[in-house]
Amino acid sequence: MTRAKPASFAKTKSRAAPNPSKDTTGITRVAAIQMASGPNVAANLAEAERLIGMAAAAGAKLVALPENFAVMGLKDTDKIKVCEQEGKGPMQRFLAAQAKKHGIWLVGGSIPMACENPAKVRNTCLVYDDKGKLVARYDKVHLFGLDLGNERYSEESTIEPGDRVVVVETPFGRLGLSICYDLRFPELYRAMGDVDLIVVPAAFTATTGKAHFETLIRARAIENLAYVIAPAQGGYHVSGRETHGDSMIVDPWGNILDRLPRGSGVVIAGINPTYQASLRNSLPALKHRTLECRKGIKVEVIKP
């Protein structure tokens, strides 16, 4: 069921932060889009266009799409048939055009991008600025695998992993990029350094999502004292797969500011840098770290 949804805040019980800031200057509205994508790229882009328009009309300046927003095929190999070279193809043209049209920063969830292995793709998150310029690319590092007997997934059979952590300097703060299964690996986020926002485009299964999605999203927000924007796939897909949904935006104290359990739609919230700074001053956990992240990991900080 598709529905328009106004911005709302703190729909779950809030856990009050110490000395919360009353200063509302500098607040920026951000949006996470939820979809139930299918195998038809054109149809998925049309639905994404409608939802991006809703988010922009509600005042969002940063909009994030879910993982695999442009295609969720009948078979895992279907994405290989529609994968794109960087800078070419309808999915990338769509993202650039939408960012420019609405004057927003647009996080393109993930799309399949070609790699050297013709039997695989990269699962790639692309970020466009408000002029429609590509400013960052992140290739999913951690590939999902699950075997519950009657439910099996093996992303490594069709996806080549990335090898870089990517952070983007935006007008709204430092934005760390990740995709879905990355969420289970906190060392990825620690390697980002002090990020202000984290985006997690997802397509969690109904099984794992029900058990872990909210817990992991809120944990990443709390431990990094960062806003987390989590746009997700949510519903039944033509392939027979069911995704969890529950797209949400979480503040640095772990409060869920807005969420959408199922179906297509938009969640919107305001990010407040003054409030975030006050939390980090009150609880300087990021300054209390004593253990270094694993050495040798490549971290790319992009300053458009």
Side-chain angles (χ1 to χ4, degrees):
M1 176 174 152
T2 301
R3 63 190 179 93
K5 191 167 168 297
S8 56
F9 297 86
K11 291 195 169 181
T12 57
K13 184 177 180 181
S14 296
R15 291 162 172 77
N19 303 316
S21 171
K22 303 297 183 181
D23 187 355
T24 59
T25 58
I27 291 180
T28 300
R29 289 164 77 80
V30 300
I33 287 175
Q34 184 159 289
M35 300 175 65
S37 300
N40 187 306
V41 173
N44 294 327
L45 296 185
E47 174 69 348
E49 180 176 11
R50 184 182 71 84
L51 295 169
I52 292 169
M54 286 172 52
K61 298 302 181 184
L62 172 66
V63 178
L65 289 158
E67 182 182 27
N68 302 326
F69 80 93
V71 60
M72 287 191 69
L74 296 174
K75 304 187 300 293
D76 287 345
T77 53
D78 287 352
K79 58 183 173 286
I80 299 172
K81 302 173 186 176
V82 298
C83 72
E84 297 182 354
Q85 298 286 341
E86 186 170 320
K88 300 177 182 179
M91 291 178 274
Q92 293 170 85
R93 288 196 297 270
F94 168 80
L95 292 169
Q98 289 297 304
K100 183 177 181 179
K101 174 183 177 180
H102 295 290
I104 58 173
W105 280 63
L106 183 59
V107 179
S110 77
I111 64 171
M113 297 285 280
C115 63
E116 292 184 3
N117 185 341
K120 294 187 178 184
V121 297
R122 292 286 184 106
N123 191 6
T124 300
C125 178
L126 300 173
V127 181
Y128 293 81
D129 69 12
D130 54 3
K131 303 296 190 297
K133 177 186 176 184
L134 176 64
V135 295
R137 169 178 174 164
Y138 167 71
D139 295 334
K140 186 177 183 180
V141 170
H142 300 98
L143 303 183
F144 180 53
L146 179 72
D147 188 347
L148 297 177
N150 62 340
E151 187 177 9
R152 294 184 177 89
Y153 300 93
S154 178
E155 288 189 335
E156 66 178 7
S157 64
T158 55
I159 297 175
E160 179 181 271
D163 63 356
R164 290 181 182 274
V165 178
V166 179
V167 176
V168 192
E169 301 278 3
T170 78
F172 326 110
R174 287 168 54 92
L175 174 66
L177 305 182
S178 63
I179 300 173
C180 201
Y181 193 51
D182 285 332
L183 189 59
R184 293 183 181 275
F185 303 90
E187 63 270 22
L188 173 73
Y189 302 92
R190 280 296 193 233
M192 293 175 179
D194 293 346
V195 290
D196 304 299
L197 306 96
I198 292 168
V199 66
V200 191
F204 259 62
T205 71
T207 303
T208 59
K210 181 179 180 180
H212 303 141
F213 189 65
E214 178 184 327
T215 300
L216 289 168
I217 291 291
R218 295 177 72 183
R220 298 297 86 83
I222 293 166
E223 69 194 11
N224 294 289
L225 286 164
Y227 285 92
V228 175
I229 305 165
Q233 295 281 347
Y236 292 95
H237 303 265
V238 177
S239 64
R241 178 175 175 175
E242 181 185 2
T243 47
H244 175 63
D246 207 14
S247 295
M248 65 182 72
I249 299 171
V250 178
D251 78 7
W253 200 247
N255 293 315
I256 299 174
L257 303 180
D258 198 9
R259 76 193 309 170
L260 176 60
R262 298 282 283 186
S264 296
V266 180
V267 296
I268 295 182
I271 58 171
N272 185 340
T274 303
Y275 166 71
Q276 185 174 30
S278 72
L279 291 181
R280 289 179 170 181
N281 285 332
S282 300
L283 179 62
L286 297 176
K287 296 179 180 178
H288 293 162
R289 290 175 292 187
T290 58
L291 300 178
E292 295 293 330
C293 290
R294 179 170 57 88
K295 294 182 179 179
I297 193 167
K298 301 173 184 176
V299 181
E300 183 177 2
V301 178
I302 299 171
K303 299 180 180 181

